[in-house]
């Protein structure tokens, strides 16, 4: 099969299938304080020496805040019929609550209108990690008031854009927000506090429920939750490794999905956190039940897991599969894991509608030559994972769309600009965009198998 032969096998996805790409505000926009916007925790974190590789910041990023018209045209040239983006809370509410910054609302309204003019369906993420600094100063997600702050913010956006945005996501990856920001400390706000992390996770779930309820009250019909999911395969059939994989599965894959679908946490959470696990009442647990209208699946890789009592808090660690290909993030390339996790959702949670809201890979890209960037590894990753998605469709998974991560090379959090996921190259000096071979491949796949725009 040539590089240019699209991925999907003979059976095309269902009508209305979304072929998109995904980004997030702090990673692409730049101009974080423009037009009345307030600072976010990532603005502060990135400006704290030593927190981000090369002390990179999102001050410019992809300069999308100025180039959004060009980027919408780029999406149209790729043939996308959908685009997933996030709203920077502090552009809308500079102090996190209270005064609304109209210029912030206007930016996103113009972006949405431009997408719709091109026949591109917007999928809006309300929160992709960039909490207003003013709210972190009031306790942030550890504050009991945080679900109310979030629901009020969400309501402002529902009322401003609910007549033109049909697909909403409350939170992007509550697990990464919790683990990265409050347990391991590698992401903003950089805390390392197990008990605080369990309270933050609980408040994020309360916030999802509150924002879902406020969306219903505003007539919003399709509100989802985007979660990072990663199959946990035991390194051996020993009971120790089997138990370790089950604990890591609960910790990563079920910590948030079980509460929203079943109103309960996985039993392993108490074992993992011990005395740091709060004693939630039955009513507090039941209040978490807020089944999303769709599950957004962010899939990148799987883990092979070995028991290791020194690897806290789960007592399990990943075992690198040295004979398998890995990305520049050192994540194993394992497309079958995408099929497996989609079928797992189908079986465990009653076959809910699903979108693959992130899937992609960072590789060390070659320099462009004569206007061409031959990113063979990323193209192969995309092709193999589109095939994996097709296998899930054939298994009856209610898969409704695929969003490649990411449209553009962008700010990769604590890695800064050192890791590039884009289908489109962004020049580090002049921010010029150049569609990579992987982007051309995706365009051809959409033309051949997509519903078109
Ligand atoms: C384990 O990977 C996570 O699922 C994950 C990977 N990623 C993400 N979550 C975030 O949603 C994006 O903002 C990142 O840029 C992207 C690439 O790192």
């Amino acid at each position: 099969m040539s590089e240019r032969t699209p991925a999907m096998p003979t059976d095309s996805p269902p009508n209305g299938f979304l072929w998109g790409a995904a980004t997030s505000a702090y990673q692409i926009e730049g101009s974080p304080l423009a037009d009345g916007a307030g600072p976010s925790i990532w603005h502060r974190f990135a400006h704290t020496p030593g927190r981000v590789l090369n002390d990179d910041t999102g001050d410019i990023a992809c300069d999308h805040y100025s180039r959004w018209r060009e980027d919408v045209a780029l999406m149209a040239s790729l043939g996308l019929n959908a685009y997933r983006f996030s709203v920077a809370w502090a552009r809308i509410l500079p102090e996190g609550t209270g005064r609304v910054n109209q210029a912030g609302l206007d930016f996103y309204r113009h972006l949405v209108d431009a997408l719709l003019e091109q026949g591109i369906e917007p999928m809006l993420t309300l929160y992709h990690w960039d909490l207003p600094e003013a709210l972190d100063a009031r306790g942030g997600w550890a504050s009991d008031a945080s679900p109310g702050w979030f629901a009020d913010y969400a309501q402002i956006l529902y009322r401003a854009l609910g007549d033109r945005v049909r697909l909403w996501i409350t939170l992007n990856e509550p697990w990464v927000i919790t683990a990265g920001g409050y347990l391991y400390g590698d992401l903003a706000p950089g805390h390392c506090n197990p008990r605080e992390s369990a309270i933050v996770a609980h408040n994020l779930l309360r916030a999802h429920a509150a924002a879902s309820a406020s969306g219903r009250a505003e007539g919003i019909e399709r509100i989802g939750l985007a979660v990072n999911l990663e199959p946990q395969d035991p390194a051996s059939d020993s009971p120790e490794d089997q138990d370790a994989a089950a604990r890591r599965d609960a910790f990563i894959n079920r910590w948030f999905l079980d509460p929203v679908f079943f109103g309960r946490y996985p039993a392993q959470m108490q074992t993992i956190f011990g005395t740091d696990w709060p004693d939630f009442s039955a009513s507090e647990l039941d209040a978490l039940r807020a089944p999303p209208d769709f599950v957004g699946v962010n899939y990148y890789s799987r883990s092979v897991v070995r028991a290791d009592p020194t690897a806290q808090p789960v007592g399990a660690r990943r075992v690198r599969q040295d004979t398998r290909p890995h990305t520049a993030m050192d994540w194993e390339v394992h497309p079958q894991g995408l099929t497996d996790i989609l079928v797992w959702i189908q079986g465990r949670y009653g076959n809910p509608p699903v979108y693959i809201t992130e899937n992609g890979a960072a590789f060390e890209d070659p320099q462009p030559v004569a206007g061409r960037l031959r990113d063979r590894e990323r193209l192969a990753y995309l092709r193999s994972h589109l095939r994996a998605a097709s296998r899930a469709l054939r298994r009856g998974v209610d898969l409704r769309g695929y969003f490649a991560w990411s449209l553009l090379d962008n700010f990769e959090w604590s890695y800064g600009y050192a890791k590039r996921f884009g289908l489109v190259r962004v020049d580090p000096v002049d921010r010029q965009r150049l569609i990579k071979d992987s982007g051309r491949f995706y365009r051809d796949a959409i033309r051949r198998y997509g519903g078109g725009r």
Side-chain angles (χ1 to χ4, degrees):
M1 179 182 282
S2 79
E3 280 186 357
R4 294 185 59 78
T5 307
M8 305 299 267
T10 50
D11 52 341
S12 291
N15 287 335
F17 189 84
L18 296 185
W19 295 80
T23 65
S24 84
Y26 189 77
Q27 293 182 272
I28 69 164
E29 289 178 357
S31 307
L33 304 179
D35 301 328
S40 73
I41 57 175
W42 265 97
H43 180 70
R44 181 197 65 203
F45 197 76
H47 282 270
T48 305
R51 286 296 199 176
V52 176
L53 191 63
N54 304 319
D55 285 336
D56 286 338
T57 76
D59 287 356
I60 301 175
C62 306
D63 193 27
H64 175 74
Y65 190 73
S66 307
R67 300 176 188 236
W68 59 273
R69 292 179 187 83
E70 170 190 350
D71 289 335
V72 172
L74 191 62
M75 296 174 212
S77 75
L78 288 170
L80 306 187
N81 64 9
Y83 172 57
R84 178 184 175 227
F85 65 98
S86 78
V87 172
W89 185 337
R91 289 197 193 281
I92 310 304
L93 291 160
E95 293 79 39
T97 60
R99 178 178 63 87
V100 174
N101 177 36
Q102 188 59 45
L105 277 180
D106 291 346
F107 170 71
Y108 293 105
R109 184 179 288 117
H110 295 148
L111 172 63
V112 165
D113 288 348
L115 291 168
L116 294 173
E117 281 165 24
Q118 292 290 341
I120 300 172
E121 179 88 47
M123 178 185 275
L124 189 155
T125 303
L126 286 161
Y127 186 73
H128 200 126
W129 305 359
D130 49 355
L131 187 73
E133 172 63 27
L135 294 182
D136 195 53
R138 295 163 61 184
W141 287 112
S143 166
D144 191 56
S146 55
W149 300 336
F150 183 63
D152 291 347
Y153 155 63
Q155 186 182 62
I156 291 166
L157 284 172
Y158 294 143
R159 289 179 175 174
L161 298 174
D163 63 338
R164 56 200 85 177
V165 174
R166 294 187 298 178
L167 291 168
W168 297 75
I169 288 172
T170 54
L171 302 169
N172 179 72
E173 301 190 341
W175 186 89
V176 176
I177 298 168
T178 301
Y182 296 89
L183 193 56
Y184 302 124
D186 58 319
L187 301 179
H191 299 183
C192 300
N193 183 327
R195 182 160 186 88
E196 183 185 46
S197 73
I199 291 165
V200 161
H202 193 74
N203 287 338
L204 287 167
L205 284 160
R206 291 172 59 214
H208 166 74
S212 298
S214 74
R216 299 274 177 269
E218 297 296 329
I220 305 296
E221 295 178 348
R222 295 164 75 185
I223 303 172
L225 177 67
V227 288
N228 54 292
L229 295 178
E230 183 185 292
Q232 302 297 312
D233 298 333
S236 77
D237 57 9
S238 73
E240 295 76 17
D241 287 350
Q242 303 274 350
D243 290 346
R247 277 197 309 277
R248 210 160 184 269
D249 175 60
F251 179 61
I252 293 178
N253 297 325
R254 298 195 286 120
W255 188 352
F256 295 90
L257 286 182
D258 277 11
V260 296
F261 278 103
F262 304 145
R264 65 169 187 267
Y265 285 113
Q268 292 92 334
M269 300 314 290
Q270 180 80 58
T271 307
I272 291 166
F273 279 85
T275 55
D276 287 327
W277 187 255
D279 182 16
F280 298 112
S281 69
S283 62
E284 284 175 317
L285 294 173
D286 191 56
L288 301 181
R289 232 186 137 277
D293 298 310
F294 62 89
V295 177
V297 175
N298 293 356
Y299 175 83
Y300 290 86
S301 184
R302 64 141 180 198
S303 281
V304 176
V305 179
R306 185 178 307 288
D308 180 352
T310 68
Q312 288 309 317
V314 183
R317 62 179 173 81
R318 294 177 67 167
V319 179
R320 192 178 194 281
Q321 303 304 289
D322 294 336
T323 59
R324 301 291 307 270
H326 286 67
T327 72
M329 300 292 281
D330 205 33
W331 298 341
E332 181 191 352
V333 177
H334 188 72
Q336 183 56 38
L338 176 56
T339 309
D340 295 344
I341 209 72
L342 292 171
V343 170
W344 173 77
I345 292 172
Q346 178 190 38
R348 184 174 180 82
Y349 300 113
N351 198 22
V354 174
Y355 293 87
I356 296 167
T357 38
E358 289 181 27
N359 176 243
F363 289 105
E364 296 302 324
D365 286 338
Q367 285 301 311
V369 175
R372 180 96 181 262
L373 195 159
R374 299 173 186 273
D375 58 332
R376 290 187 176 86
E377 291 172 300
R378 186 175 295 103
L379 188 155
Y381 181 100
L382 190 56
R383 178 175 55 207
S384 63
H385 286 75
L386 285 173
R387 278 178 164 163
S390 180
R391 289 197 294 274
L393 275 167
R394 285 206 292 276
R395 299 274 298 268
V397 170
D398 187 1
L399 180 61
R400 303 200 177 178
Y402 176 92
F403 292 79
W405 184 271
S406 178
L407 174 70
L408 302 170
D409 291 338
N410 61 50
F411 179 81
E412 180 51 36
W413 308 114
S414 53
Y415 289 97
Y417 299 100
K419 305 295 182 184
R420 298 168 162 270
F421 281 83
L423 299 177
V424 175
R425 179 179 187 270
V426 177
D427 186 278
V429 174
D430 63 15
R431 271 70 192 189
Q432 284 303 308
R433 277 72 164 144
L434 173 67
I435 298 176
K436 304 176 187 176
D437 276 8
S438 59
R440 296 174 182 218
F441 172 84
Y442 192 46
R443 179 188 59 200
D444 295 346
I446 296 171
R447 278 178 186 160
R448 184 161 178 174
Y449 297 107
R453 285 184 294 107

